[in-house]
Amino acid sequence: MTPGVSPGSETLWNPNRQRSKITQQIVIFITGACATVSILTTFGIVATLIFETFEFFQEVSIVDFLTDTRWTPLFSSKQFGIFVLISATLLTSTIAILVALPLGLLAAIALSEYAKPNVRKVIKPILEVLAGIPSIVFGYFALLTVTPFLQNFVPGLQGFNALSAGLVLGIAILPLVASLSEDAIYSVPRSLRDGAYALGATKRETIISVVLPAALSGIVASIILAISRAIGETMIVTLAAGQNPTLGFNPLVPTMTMTAYMVQVSLGDTPVGSIAYKTLFAVGMSLFLITLVLNLISFWVVRRFREQYE
Amino acid sequence: MTVDSTRNYPAGSLGSFAEKFHQNLSGRYRLDAIFQSLAWLSVAIALIVLAWLLLDVLIDGIPTLNWEFITNFPSRKPEEAGVWAALMGTIWVMAVVAVVAFPIGVGAAIYLEEFSSDNWFSRFVEINISNLAGVPSIIYGLLGLAAFVYLFEPITGGRSVLTGGLTLALLILPIIIVATRESLRAIPNSIRLAGFALGATRWQVVWSHVLPYAMPGILTGTILALSRAIGETAPLIAIGALTFIPFIPDGLQSPFTVLPIQVYNWVSRPQEEFHAIAASGIILLLIVLLAMNAIAIYLRNRLQKINL
């Protein structure tokens, strides 16, 4: 409707308010339905996981699932010891966090405390590029570049191994730690630092004993989020750590994480209702629960330990 | 010294702090210099690894990156293999993702930011969105497998372009909603109040005043979300997207493959010739990502020029 031109009673000065109100009601209904999609997604994820996992435990006892020491669901003698996969996931994630935590935290300190504003302006986007690289590219890098490189120094390192998968995984989650910690450190007010300087502390002493404790909740939350990301990451560990389910924590030999198993089964033909199809959801459920617990801890840490400054 | 007793300092930090007054300054400054170098070294390591990764991919991939590689279908002979099917599959899937995720994401954000009061429904949606952002992407693949591949098979046609697009759309929906809400929030309230003063309904104000100003920000967020979806491999493998497709999709129910899956397929083969063309595929993937990021940065700069 062009204001002021339309004929009849409905003009710029006499719009059809009734129709405007009805339109608004329709819009509220449609946008509300859009918002419902996120609820439906959560519901869909939880419902499929619970349903198929329930079916899985009709065939496999939950005690075997938690205590068995072998994971061979695709062989003729089937055993379902989820801890075989969990141990591999823990191994790669631990290596990853040992890389990402010190490097990410120190990089965050360099950017927020030491960098001049224009240096910060250049380096932050470059770290964002690192965060935006698809994980398949990191997987290629881990398998075909880092592993051959490490084999020059580490005797007994096999072609597939948890070590290079974990190291590259650490590089992949480093930007997450760096950028979230940087936000937390950057938001510590100047007055706290000035107080420490006034007491005669040097810059390093100020950072370590005043700034970092003040930013602790943000830093811890970023680390927990990074661990959760490392546990759910798929392509790097699938490509570089291998497809060989072994219980144990030797980083030099092939191993198989939860996500790598899910890829292995998905690449084969998995008819609905087969035991392979059901294990997919049982492993997915375990992964979902672990990351859910970590995410809840992260929310709790942020809410419980957040420092409020004027 | 005066200590704010309401603040929780970690145990011992103030004691050691006080002792350090008596240390020689030059020694403390030397430690400072070491600490500062370590911090910068961490930044350098991140940058060096990034450069190493990019150089490595370029050196391996440039020699086999040519027009035949782009326009050939996959083949069992590496010298004849190409990415045409994967490239077209990526375009098809991303079209579905954009068409589904953009209106739903923007709609949900408008509802949460403009229409909903602080009631149980909006709080429930908020909790859901932050939870969904923490769900591993392969779990979305399981949802896609159970819901779109099997449950809605008559509509989606099984392991199809539509299934892949819907799965990825659900994955990036939280990102679009959060980005849209932020750009809606950045529009000053005076604009809305001016509209209300003229007798417009809230929807009329949002549609004709708020959305046009917020659009560059919304588009920036959407493009970043889409570039995330382009790189996603795991959920598409979980829904069973095929790796050997010697044709391009001809409809929404057509089977498909995408660039990352094609790359995964080539990397996981033992022959080195396939590794080289995998690197070429990665270069293409990174070029697409770079182009999308460039558009997003351009839009962000446009946004910053608007004076409100």
Side-chain angles (χ1 to χ4, degrees), chain A residues 24 42 140 145 199-200 205, chain B residues 21 28 32 56 60 128 150 203:
Chain A
Q24 165 143 322
T42 309
Y140 169 94
T145 308
L199 291 171
E205 288 160 353
Chain B
F21 282 121
R28 286 160 65 197
D32 267 38
D56 196 57
D60 289 353
N128 262 294
Y150 290 116
W203 167 241

Side-chain angles (χ1 to χ4, degrees), chain B residues 70-91:
Chain B
I70 293 174
T71 54
N72 276 6
F73 287 113
S75 162
R76 286 188 173 79
K77 296 184 199 137
E79 62 273 17
E80 284 174 16
V83 288
W84 189 239
L87 206 57
M88 287 296 130
T90 297
I91 292 172

Side-chain angles (χ1 to χ4, degrees), chain B residues 4 11 26 49 57 149 157 161 166 181 190 194-195 240 253 257 281:
Chain B
D4 183 356
S26 63
V49 173
V57 167
V149 175
V161 167
L166 289 175
R181 290 186 72 179
S190 53
Q253 298 198 342
T257 190

